[in-house]
Amino acid sequence: MPEFFQVPKIPFEGPKSTNPLAFRFYNPDEEIEGKTMRDHLRFACAFWHTMRMNGSDPFGSATMLRPWDDGTDSIENARKRVRVFFEFLEKMSIPFYCFHDRDVAPEGATFAESCKNLDQVVEVFKEESQRTGVKMLWGTANLFNHPRFMHGAATSPNADAFAYAAAQVKKAIEVTKELGGTGYTFWGGREGYQCIWNTDMKRETEHLAAFMHMAVDYAKKIGFTGQFYFEPKPKEPTKHQYDFDCAACINFLRAYGLEKDVKMNIETNHATLAGHNVEHELEYAASQGFLGSVDANAGDTLLGWDTDQFPTDVYMTTKMMLVIMKYGGFTTGGLNFDAKVRRESFEPIDLFYAHIGGMDAFAKGLKIAAAMRASGELEAMKNARYQSWDSGIGASIEAGKESFESLFDYMMAKGNADANVSGRQELFENIVNRYLFDN
Ligand code: XUL
Ligand code: CO
């Protein structure tokens, strides 16, 4: 088989290496807390970005040099892209991949033709997955590109758009099952609205719930045991997305009885668009029992849209790994690079630099987080802030033994609350930096 990239398999060379095509920290077999880095991080590559982004933006046309791609929508070209993709995954030691149905296979003139196109490409995924051992992390359906979804899919005022989307997701779940995928993601796409005057919000959210129930029911029927994920994003493309953030999504899942079947897929750049940090979203979801998977990327601090950049900030990856490890790590989920190279980074080799950077940033974050966990220093300082809850009145409140009346009597007798203790934020931050510098 021809090689599409003139790049050798990326080796691990250790922290002293200056080879730009080597890992300095990502050493897949290295064990941390009794588990390999590969299993902690469960990296996945996003087909839509790595294989399909052509560098166009609203002001400029395509820039990417992709010599293997003939630029057509033919099935042959689509099948070839899959071979190229797996060569990349193998060379990068990335164990998982994700795709939308329409990234991998062209839309046909009819729904039946689209399904047939997809089957022809899935055939190659199956072959390549068997050859390389690289597996599907999660599948999904593109319910936002085609004009039929201009008003949304499950939340469209057009019942036929809903029906088309349902048919498409049925097929996408089948394909995910066929490829042994361990998850299926719902990202809202256009599930939201632009204008309250023409929108029946209640009806639309009920339709979205009905849609997800149909997906869960069908998965059970065919024995698809993968985890469903809901991916929050507050805006873009619509002004008000119904899946704004983890809190909104979890409320939606609980309100409509989906909380047992759907967890969260949390994306860094979506968190920042919602005015949160990703660690906030991770902690919120995980503490409520909804941590599923992560779309690992980064936004630009000065830009207010979804720039989907590769994550390189070790401070951020450390915070992310701390939450993920605190809640026992990934089961079905992983770190999917929902990230694209910049329009100006148009050569194939930039795909390698980008993924190496992201993987090393997370490997380093994992190591720092493990060192923090091993010493327990920060955890102990945090726990000390809450020591008033460990005994006396605090322990009694936590045990459910107190009421407003008993606390009224308690304070009447005591006269005043105990003095507060400093939060020591700056000290915490300095200690965090010590771990960053020393590990
Ligand atoms: C869009 C986005 C999607 C989902 C999958 O912002 O993140 O690519 O991850 O549909
Ligand atoms: Co995403």
Side-chain angles (χ1 to χ4, degrees):
M1 200 173 39
E3 278 202 281
F4 298 103
F5 298 101
Q6 311 314 309
V7 172
K9 189 171 162 69
I10 305 301
F12 167 71
E13 290 187 357
K16 296 235 166 358
S17 173
T18 55
N19 176 3
L21 289 171
F23 294 117
R24 298 176 64 231
F25 303 104
Y26 184 59
N27 184 12
D29 293 318
E30 187 176 326
E31 291 207 358
I32 290 178
E33 296 189 11
K35 197 161 120 180
T36 62
M37 276 199 182
R38 185 188 293 104
D39 290 344
H40 273 288
L41 299 166
R42 292 172 60 88
F43 287 127
C45 184
F47 194 93
W48 55 98
H49 282 312
T50 297
M51 300 311 294
R52 302 310 308 276
M53 282 299 154
N54 63 14
S56 60
D57 72 11
F59 302 97
S61 52
T63 58
M64 296 295 158
L65 284 181
R66 300 291 182 249
W68 55 82
D69 199 309
D70 65 15
T72 69
D73 253 349
S74 75
I75 297 292
E76 264 335 289
N77 195 30
R79 284 167 63 100
K80 187 174 175 192
R81 274 191 210 112
V82 182
R83 309 254 183 233
V84 179
F85 187 51
F86 276 84
E87 182 189 321
F88 179 74
L89 297 173
E90 261 196 301
K91 288 187 163 170
M92 286 301 308
S93 306
I94 293 179
F96 295 101
Y97 63 85
C98 300
F99 66 66
H100 300 82
D101 49 1
R102 300 294 177 260
D103 312 328
V104 297
E107 174 104 21
T110 60
F111 179 64
E113 202 178 298
S114 296
C115 290
K116 196 168 149 229
N117 291 350
L118 184 56
D119 286 334
Q120 285 175 273
V121 179
V122 164
E123 230 172 61
V124 191
F125 269 96
K126 232 172 161 172
E127 266 176 47
E128 288 291 304
S129 181
Q130 265 155 21
R131 182 181 70 75
T132 59
V134 179
K135 299 193 174 81
M136 188 182 213
L137 189 71
W138 50 256
T140 190
N142 181 326
L143 307 177
F144 41 91
N145 248 85
H146 195 279
R148 79 173 66 82
F149 299 126
M150 66 168 69
H151 303 294
T155 64
S156 174
N158 175 359
D160 254 7
F162 181 109
Y164 195 105
Q168 207 179 316
V169 171
K170 174 181 180 289
K171 178 72 184 168
I173 294 173
E174 288 164 7
V175 160
T176 304
K177 178 173 185 271
E178 197 179 335
L179 291 173
T182 53
Y184 184 90
T185 292
F186 295 104
W187 167 60
R190 296 178 192 278
E191 311 298 26
Y193 69 97
Q194 312 283 18
C195 169
I196 196 78
W197 295 119
N198 68 3
T199 301
D200 187 335
M201 195 192 300
K202 184 162 191 288
R203 213 165 175 184
E204 291 197 2
T205 44
E206 283 169 3
H207 292 166
L208 182 58
F211 191 89
M212 282 201 193
H213 272 291
M214 286 183 198
V216 167
D217 290 348
Y218 184 65
K220 284 186 183 149
K221 191 165 177 191
I222 64 167
F224 170 64
T225 53
Q227 175 64 51
F228 281 103
Y229 306 117
F230 198 10
E231 182 178 323
K233 183 173 184 181
K235 53 194 162 198
E236 199 202 71
T238 77
K239 183 160 71 173
H240 301 283
Q241 296 278 135
Y242 294 131
D243 47 2
F244 190 94
D245 62 1
C246 284
C249 286
I250 291 171
N251 175 63
F252 170 86
L253 295 174
R254 287 194 176 128
Y256 293 104
L258 287 153
E259 70 275 14
K260 288 200 173 58
D261 297 298
V262 185
K263 289 192 158 80
M264 305 306 302
N265 180 37
I266 297 166
E267 178 164 329
T268 313
N269 204 167
H270 296 177
T272 48
L273 288 178
H276 301 305
N277 289 320
V278 65
E279 63 273 19
H280 164 88
E281 287 289 83
L282 288 170
E283 180 67 43
Y284 188 86
S287 63
Q288 298 282 323
F290 285 83
L291 178 62
S293 200
V294 170
D295 269 8
N297 63 13
D300 185 295
T301 48
L302 301 182
L303 301 176
W305 63 89
D306 201 16
T307 57
D308 283 343
Q309 289 168 229
F310 276 83
T312 55
D313 178 350
V314 176
Y315 202 72
M316 179 185 83
T317 58
T318 300
K319 289 194 272 189
M320 292 173 75
M321 290 317 299
L322 266 177
V323 184
I324 291 163
M325 292 163 93
K326 174 174 160 192
Y327 289 95
F330 292 120
T331 49
T332 52
L335 293 168
N336 171 47
F337 288 115
D338 193 352
K340 60 187 176 205
V341 290
R342 299 302 85 193
R343 179 168 195 267
E344 302 81 0
S345 308
F346 58 88
E347 295 176 14
I349 196 149
D350 292 307
L351 293 172
F352 286 87
Y353 296 142
H355 286 83
I356 289 170
M359 291 164 80
D360 258 355
F362 271 100
K364 183 74 176 161
L366 166 63
K367 291 188 136 188
I368 299 167
M372 288 173 172
R373 282 162 57 80
S375 81
E377 185 180 2
L378 285 155
E379 196 61 17
M381 283 169 60
K382 190 200 285 181
N383 291 342
R385 275 193 86 206
Y386 294 86
Q387 66 189 9
S388 66
W389 292 90
D390 294 337
S391 59
I393 195 68
S396 185
I397 296 172
E398 279 195 351
K401 290 183 188 150
E402 303 295 333
S403 65
F404 268 18
E405 290 106 310
S406 69
L407 293 174
F408 185 88
D409 295 344
Y410 166 79
M411 213 28 89
M412 282 300 261
K414 188 161 183 174
N416 210 342
D418 285 348
N420 279 316
V421 175
S422 168
R424 304 247 188 274
Q425 180 177 330
E426 298 75 9
L427 176 61
F428 273 86
E429 287 164 346
N430 294 351
I431 294 174
V432 166
N433 272 356
R434 168 150 56 77
Y435 283 89
L436 257 89
F437 299 151
D438 293 352
N439 288 281

